Amino acid sequence: MVAVGLALASACCYAVAAALQEHVAAATHGDATLSPRLLVRLARQPRWLLGVAATILGSGLHVIALGFGPLTLVQPIGAGALVFALPLGARLAGRVTTAREWAGAALVTVGLAGLMAFAPHQVPPPILGSFPTVVLIAAAAFVVAGFALAATRCARPWLRATLLAVGSGIAFGLTSALVRVVTASFGRVPAGLLWLTAASVAVFAAAGLLLAQTAYRDGGLGGPLGTLTLTDPLIASLVGIVMLGESFSGGATGSVLAGLCAVTAGAGVITLARATPGPPRTRASVAPPTPPTQSTLSRSEGAFR
């Protein structure tokens, strides 16, 4: 229960951060290149820095939650960030949240909530050896770099943003997995391995931030955030299942149902990626009273007589 509560609070912080950062990143005009200079430009905006502060707070709560629960339980709760961020982001952008965006968010939320329902509630503390850790870090770095390179060569903005969001989700998912290993095996593994893991956490977190901001710049909030929200827990859960001894509850049936939930969440991500932004919000205005003309006064005077 502590892990669930902390994860929900973390999701709220991530939602505020995503809405604030997307609103600023979308206004950053530039080409389709992927460069750290984007973060330098965004760091000059107070609203974006406020989003970074919300990210740091959410990350802290997330790290504490990983100390109380397994990856397959904590990670899917982050889907709540999507539900909170969509209306908040639309509000900041001054537009209406479309029905297609709500439908996509609902599919992602239902799918990831189903994954959370089949997640284990108690698992032994994970211990990852030196060789598997190095292989995991190297493989993840190769995959993230591949998605970033593919995005820079893609001409369609929505597809480019989706590729960037997938790379960001992989980076953030691996960050959570490594944090889970560090918090659960601190003092029981060599110090050199802990330093390598901690340094990798910093690098993957920075890479995930850069890819996410570029995805927001090119694709808005709904599609990139939905893709990131799906990829992050799936990657972290995959690492937890394959390398940390975690598994979904319910045996073979539970695994099949968890797979169906993943497909449902994937359909929601596709819906969000292809959704178009809603129209600007309009406020009903009352026209000021028109002063009476001379002809109107003459007719009124004649009628009175």
Side-chain angles (χ1 to χ4, degrees):
M1 294 302 296
V2 173
V4 171
L6 291 172
L8 285 173
S10 174
C12 293
C13 294
Y14 284 144
V16 174
L20 291 173
Q21 291 171 345
E22 183 273 337
H23 182 66
V24 178
T28 304
H29 301 288
D31 54 21
T33 58
L34 177 64
S35 173
R37 288 179 296 180
L38 175 63
L39 296 181
V40 177
R41 296 174 62 183
L42 293 175
R44 300 172 183 172
Q45 305 294 329
R47 179 173 289 184
W48 189 83
L49 292 177
L50 183 61
V52 172
T55 301
I56 294 174
L57 178 59
S59 300
L61 295 173
H62 188 75
V63 169
I64 300 174
L66 288 173
F68 287 93
L71 288 165
T72 46
L73 174 64
V74 174
Q75 289 298 114
I77 299 178
L82 186 64
V83 180
F84 300 139
L86 274 181
L88 181 58
R91 184 74 178 180
L92 291 176
R95 64 175 182 85
V96 178
T97 304
T98 64
R100 186 165 186 170
E101 288 178 320
W102 281 120
L107 289 173
V108 173
T109 304
V110 170
L112 292 182
L115 289 175
M116 185 184 69
F118 293 103
H121 295 269
Q122 291 182 352
V123 294
I127 298 179
L128 197 59
S130 300
F131 180 74
T133 302
V134 173
V135 171
L136 176 63
I137 293 173
F142 179 79
V143 174
V144 171
F147 274 100
L149 181 61
T152 58
R153 298 184 177 183
C154 183
R156 298 182 179 181
W158 72 268
L159 182 56
R160 182 170 62 246
T162 301
L163 293 173
L164 291 169
V166 171
S168 177
I170 295 174
F172 284 136
L174 188 69
T175 299
S176 299
L178 294 177
V179 166
R180 168 69 174 159
V181 172
V182 170
T183 56
S185 60
F186 187 80
R188 295 184 295 164
V189 296
L193 181 60
L194 286 178
W195 280 109
L196 173 63
T197 306
S200 300
V201 166
V203 172
F204 279 112
L209 180 63
L210 173 60
L211 294 175
Q213 301 309 306
T214 312
Y216 293 153
R217 181 198 66 185
D218 296 340
L221 181 64
L225 183 59
T227 304
L228 197 159
T229 303
L230 174 63
T231 308
D232 182 351
L234 287 182
I235 292 299
S237 299
L238 182 63
V239 173
I241 292 171
V242 175
M243 306 191 71
L244 302 182
E246 299 180 4
S247 62
F248 288 103
S249 60
T253 303
S255 299
V256 172
L257 293 176
L260 293 176
C261 292
V263 172
T264 301
V269 167
I270 295 175
T271 302
L272 286 171
R274 303 303 300 269
T276 55
R281 292 179 178 272
T282 57
R283 294 183 178 180
S285 57
V286 179
T290 303
T293 61
Q294 184 63 35
S295 59
T296 304
L297 291 176
S298 299
R299 287 195 301 269
S300 300
E301 184 178 358
F304 177 75
R305 289 176 180 175

